[in-house]
Amino acid sequence: MIETLFRKYQYILKKIDKITYKRYFFDIVDFSERLIGIVGARGIGKTTFLLQYLDDLNLKEHQKLYFSVDSIIASDASLFEIAESFNLSGGKVLVIDEIHKYKNFEIELKEIYDFLDIQVIFSGSSAIVLEHKKADLSRRATIYRVKGLSFKEFLELKLDTKFNSYKLEDILQNHIDIAKNISQKIKPIEYFKEYLKVGVYPFYFETPNTYYSKLEETINTVIESDLPIVFNIEPSNISKLKKLVYYVCTAKPYELNITSLAKKIGIDRKTLYQYIHYLTLGDILLKILPNAKGDSIFTKPSKLYLNNSNLNYAYCDLLEIGTIREEFFAFQLNRFYEIKYPKQGDFLVENKYTFEIGGKSKSFNQIKDLPNSYIAADDIEIGFGNKIPLWLFGFLY
């Protein structure tokens, strides 16, 4: 079995020989850990990252191995048996892809960690499974939930030019200088609209003409395969998940009425909340909680978006530019910073900074009396004062 997997690994490795671009994952993962999980949406480059990591290792070829769980599903070999055989043959680093397809994977990962002296890096094609089960691994595994391309990464891939990334505080304090520096290299607005339409998933650069069909296929796999397997959703309810995605498309974030939405889809409120949770973990929806205390956080509705603007262009018949702008901002900051929606303004970040999102003529009227308040404005190249170009928030990673 090991020999077969090794041959397949060599074939797969040839496919990434020409891929030199490395995503931000390399800067955040602590490779000294013995058990590492990489989770995130399908199609964002996890497999390429895993193969690049192995290829860069200063080890003999027989000491490193990659395989996808697809390769062993039809066999009698268990994850532990494969890892044990690899270890006995001198293996040092084992990478397991698509691990969510293996039943009770967390049990065998714990056994591998406890009994074998090898490093294991595993990934899942969607965060839903690993987030759902990671508590069983929390004492052993370090899990990284990774994102699609930022605007910065999209530009680096498209233009073959390197840019710096900035912390939020740097942008807030020095946005004029930072924007001027970037604008000396490129005209960011020239590429921003393209990013909003097609820039989140790296496979755009492989097949740009069929990007939306491939994106829809990717999302359908999550809804039709990943979700039902993990959360035991009946096949008859898959269409209801798709309806939920459609209704998020048609409504503005503030206008989603849970009771009305549940009735339209044909499920009760409790099931609707569950489906929203599943789709959020699967990186299809993006949920922003209200800035509320205590039990009131459960009574106030969440702001609900599609995960990123590319999904809007792929799925939604009607596009609301205000929603697209808010979605971009939330997507770029999500997971790096705490985001809530407040009574005034569109977003409250880190319980300190209030942001209003809009076009270049957006005024401070709604947030003028709030400390640490900012406008993130579309269609401007350089900002002034507390008005910052919206595109600049795409340089956080």
Side-chain angles (χ1 to χ4, degrees):
M1 187 67 179
I2 288 293
E3 291 181 14
T4 301
L5 293 175
F6 183 77
R7 284 200 304 273
K8 287 185 178 180
Y9 163 49
Q10 295 303 313
Y11 293 142
I12 294 171
L13 199 57
K14 291 178 182 178
K15 294 183 179 180
I16 67 136
D17 281 347
K18 296 181 181 179
I19 301 177
T20 58
Y21 184 78
K22 292 183 176 179
R23 294 215 49 209
Y24 81 98
F25 310 165
F26 280 90
D27 296 327
I28 66 168
V29 175
D30 180 359
F31 293 108
S32 67
E33 299 284 348
R34 281 186 52 224
L35 185 58
I36 299 170
I38 307 295
V39 303
R42 285 181 177 268
I44 61 169
K46 297 187 302 298
T47 299
T48 298
F49 161 75
L50 296 173
L51 292 168
Q52 286 175 323
Y53 169 67
L54 281 183
D55 199 35
D56 287 349
L57 285 176
N58 186 25
L59 294 173
K60 295 178 180 178
E61 288 304 311
H62 74 279
Q63 294 178 316
K64 47 190 179 180
L65 175 65
Y66 162 94
F67 72 89
S68 172
V69 166
D70 288 336
S71 300
I72 66 166
I73 283 179
S75 75
D76 293 328
S78 69
L79 289 183
F80 183 83
E81 288 169 340
I82 292 171
E84 183 181 37
S85 179
F86 175 63
N87 185 40
L88 290 173
S89 63
K92 298 294 184 183
V93 180
L94 179 64
V95 167
I96 308 171
D97 207 357
E98 299 279 310
I99 201 167
H100 65 284
K101 295 181 180 179
Y102 189 92
K103 188 175 182 181
N104 296 323
F105 66 85
E106 70 278 9
I107 295 174
E108 296 202 37
L109 284 179
K110 286 193 291 185
E111 290 180 344
I112 292 170
Y113 180 90
D114 290 341
F115 300 116
L116 302 178
D117 186 23
I118 59 175
Q119 181 186 49
V120 176
I121 304 179
F122 60 92
S123 81
S125 57
S126 174
I128 47 177
V129 179
L130 302 175
E131 285 291 314
H132 177 57
K133 297 187 175 185
K134 76 175 184 181
D136 294 321
L137 292 169
S138 60
R139 289 189 296 110
R140 297 167 176 83
T142 301
I143 296 179
Y144 298 88
R145 192 172 180 195
V146 294
K147 297 158 57 74
L149 294 174
S150 67
F151 182 41
K152 166 189 172 286
E153 290 182 305
F154 170 75
L155 290 171
E156 289 179 333
L157 275 166
K158 185 176 180 65
L159 305 175
D160 193 23
T161 302
K162 292 296 292 182
F163 296 93
N164 293 325
S165 57
Y166 302 91
K167 294 187 180 299
L168 178 62
E169 290 76 12
D170 294 335
I171 290 177
L172 299 184
Q173 294 172 16
N174 306 304
H175 64 89
I176 296 176
D177 291 337
I178 294 171
K180 281 184 176 180
N181 182 51
I182 295 170
S183 298
Q184 287 174 355
K185 294 183 178 181
I186 60 162
K187 296 298 180 185
I189 296 175
E190 178 184 349
Y191 301 102
F192 188 54
K193 296 291 190 291
E194 182 183 4
Y195 171 81
L196 293 176
K197 293 178 181 178
V198 297
V200 173
Y201 300 86
F203 57 76
Y204 168 68
F205 295 98
E206 301 169 15
T207 53
N209 294 331
T210 57
Y211 177 69
Y212 287 133
S213 61
K214 189 171 181 180
L215 179 54
E216 189 170 346
E217 182 182 307
T218 299
I219 299 305
N220 282 342
T221 301
V222 175
I223 295 175
E224 296 171 0
S225 177
D226 294 350
L227 282 166
I229 289 172
V230 178
F231 297 109
N232 298 316
I233 298 173
E234 292 294 328
S236 59
N237 287 334
I238 290 174
S239 61
K240 294 176 181 178
L241 289 171
K242 293 183 177 180
K243 278 186 180 179
L244 176 54
V245 175
Y246 169 76
Y247 282 119
V248 173
C249 264
T250 59
K252 294 181 180 179
Y254 276 122
E255 294 176 348
L256 281 171
N257 182 291
I258 292 297
T259 301
S260 174
L261 188 56
K263 189 176 295 185
K264 286 179 181 178
I265 296 173
I267 54 179
D268 58 44
R269 284 170 57 97
K270 181 180 178 181
T271 303
L272 177 59
Y273 279 120
Q274 288 178 329
Y275 284 3
I276 289 172
H277 180 61
Y278 300 160
L279 289 168
T280 300
L281 290 179
D283 289 321
I284 296 174
L285 297 183
L286 176 58
K287 181 173 65 174
I288 306 297
L289 296 174
N291 183 37
K293 296 181 180 179
D295 293 338
S296 61
I297 194 170
F298 299 106
T299 59
K300 291 191 175 184
S302 301
K303 245 182 172 182
L304 201 59
Y305 303 88
L306 293 187
N307 178 264
N308 61 77
S309 59
N310 288 193
L311 297 181
N312 288 72
Y313 283 96
Y315 278 89
C316 306
D317 296 328
L318 297 175
L319 296 169
E320 173 64 46
I321 186 59
T323 298
I324 296 292
R325 289 165 175 164
E326 289 183 28
E327 209 166 62
F328 167 80
F329 182 88
F331 174 73
Q332 301 296 314
L333 274 72
N334 184 40
R335 299 195 194 135
F336 297 118
Y337 300 94
E338 183 183 35
I339 312 176
K340 298 176 182 176
Y341 77 85
K343 291 180 180 179
Q344 290 178 267
D346 291 317
F347 298 105
L348 178 65
V349 179
E350 295 291 298
N351 288 313
K352 181 177 180 180
Y353 307 112
T354 301
F355 290 90
E356 186 78 12
I357 318 298
K360 60 183 177 182
S361 60
K362 186 72 176 179
S363 73
F364 281 86
N365 289 343
Q366 292 174 282
I367 55 174
K368 62 182 180 180
D369 298 324
L370 298 177
N372 299 310
S373 58
Y374 300 85
I375 298 287
D378 198 5
D379 297 317
I380 64 170
E381 188 171 287
I382 309 291
F384 181 78
N386 282 17
K387 179 176 277 192
I388 303 171
L390 179 62
W391 62 263
L392 191 51
F393 293 95
F395 281 72
L396 292 168
Y397 69 94

